[in-house]
Amino acid sequence: MVKAVLTDIEGTITPISFVKDVLFPYSYENIQDFILKNKDNPLIIKILEDVKKVEGKELSLEEIIQTLKRWIEEDRKITPLKEIQGLIWEEGYKSGKLKGYVYPDAYEKLKHWYENAVKLYVYSSGSVKAQKLLFSNTNFGDLNYLFSGYFDTNIGNKKEPISYTKITQSIGLNPDEILFLSDNPDEIMAAAKAGMKVVRLVRPKDAEYIKDFPYPQVESFNQIDLTVL
C-alpha cells in the first residue's frame, strides 16, 4: 500500500519550458549583479568557495561568475549552482518578476492525496530553497502546505539508487510504501532499484513513451491510481 508519494518537479509537476525558458535565463541574466552585490555575505562566500572546490583550482571572482554561467548553460546538477540559483530566484519571486506554474492535473491529484492522508515529498535537482519558492508562488497560490518534506542533491545524485534509500530512511517508511514520480527514465530506474514503486510521467511536450520500458508510463496525474500500485 502506498503511504507516501515522492515527486520530481521539472517535466513532472511543472513544464520543462518553465525551468529552461524562465528560471534558468533569469538566474543567468542576474547572477553577476547578485554576486557582486552580495560577495561579502558569508553564505555567498561559502558558495563561491564550493565552486572552486568543484573546479579543483583557485579562481578569481570573475572566473567564478563565468563558471557558474557556463554551468547554467550546460544544465549542470551541481549543489553550489543550485544554491545560488535558489537565492536569485528568491529575489525574483519576492519582487513579483517570477511566478511558478504547476500543471492543473498535478495540483488536483496532489491535493486529493494530501486530503486523503498520503504524505507528499519533493525530490528535485533544484535546491530545497528553490523548491519552496516555486511552490509558494504558483498559479494555484502557496502549495507548500501539501508537502511534508523536500530533498535535493545534498542527499545524493538523482540517478543513484542509494539516494532513494537515504530518502526512504529519512521518511521512515518501507521503500515499497513510497511511489516515486518523474519524467526521467534513469531516475525511475534508480528509485525502482531502491525498492520504491515508480511511475514515469510522459508530458506530451516534454517527453516520449519508451517502448518496452519496464515500469508504468502515463501522461497525466489523473491516470495514477494508488490503490492498484
Side-chain angles (χ1 to χ4, degrees):
M1 177 182 176
V2 174
K3 295 182 179 179
V5 173
L6 176 68
T7 182
D8 170 52
I9 296 179
E10 183 182 351
T12 303
I13 291 179
T14 68
I16 290 176
S17 60
F18 173 71
V19 177
K20 297 208 169 188
D21 298 340
V22 179
L23 291 184
F24 281 7
Y26 186 87
S27 63
Y28 187 93
E29 292 163 9
N30 289 277
I31 198 164
Q32 179 167 320
D33 288 345
F34 180 84
I35 289 175
L36 294 177
K37 182 174 63 176
N38 296 282
K39 66 180 187 296
D40 296 324
N41 182 317
L43 179 57
I44 302 304
I45 290 172
K46 180 184 181 303
I47 291 173
L48 300 183
E49 287 300 317
D50 287 343
V51 173
K52 296 179 188 178
K53 289 178 183 177
V54 172
E55 288 293 289
K57 59 184 177 181
E58 190 61 33
L59 298 170
S60 67
L61 185 60
E62 178 58 31
E63 287 173 331
I64 292 172
I65 291 169
Q66 293 307 315
T67 297
L68 287 164
K69 283 187 170 183
R70 172 168 57 81
W71 287 353
I72 293 172
E73 291 176 327
E74 295 171 351
D75 191 14
R76 298 286 294 277
K77 314 295 186 184
I78 301 176
T79 298
L81 171 62
K82 296 305 178 182
E83 288 178 342
I84 202 161
Q85 282 181 314
L87 294 169
I88 294 168
W89 293 331
E90 181 177 23
E91 282 195 349
Y93 283 118
K94 286 182 176 178
S95 70
K97 293 178 181 177
L98 289 176
K99 187 179 182 67
Y101 178 82
V102 172
Y103 282 117
D105 61 275
Y107 165 68
E108 292 294 343
K109 186 64 79 167
L110 290 169
K111 184 168 176 285
H112 170 75
W113 288 334
Y114 170 82
E115 291 172 346
N116 285 273
V118 176
K119 294 290 187 181
L120 305 176
Y121 299 87
V122 179
Y123 184 24
S124 173
S125 57
S127 68
V128 168
K129 174 183 278 291
Q131 296 171 32
K132 291 181 177 180
L133 283 169
L134 187 151
F135 289 119
S136 69
N137 297 270
T138 80
N139 44 322
F140 295 103
D142 187 343
L143 300 184
N144 279 301
Y145 74 93
L146 293 172
F147 303 105
S148 296
Y150 306 82
F151 302 94
D152 59 20
T153 53
N154 280 300
I155 204 158
N157 189 305
K158 293 184 72 182
K159 297 180 181 180
E160 297 292 335
I162 186 63
S163 302
Y164 299 89
T165 298
K166 290 179 180 177
I167 290 174
T168 297
Q169 293 167 348
S170 177
I171 291 175
L173 293 173
N174 295 323
D176 63 356
E177 294 176 316
I178 303 170
L179 169 65
F180 176 60
L181 306 175
S182 175
D183 64 311
N184 189 301
D186 293 329
E187 295 174 6
I188 291 292
M189 299 287 279
K193 286 179 181 177
M196 289 185 182
K197 291 183 169 68
V198 294
V199 173
R200 178 174 179 254
L201 267 294
V202 187
R203 298 290 185 179
K205 293 183 179 180
D206 289 341
E208 295 180 354
Y209 281 95
I210 298 174
K211 186 178 180 181
D212 299 325
F213 194 66
Y215 302 104
Q217 301 178 91
V218 300
E219 293 184 9
S220 165
F221 272 61
N222 293 327
Q223 297 171 266
I224 302 170
D225 184 352
L226 299 187
T227 65
V228 301
L229 291 170

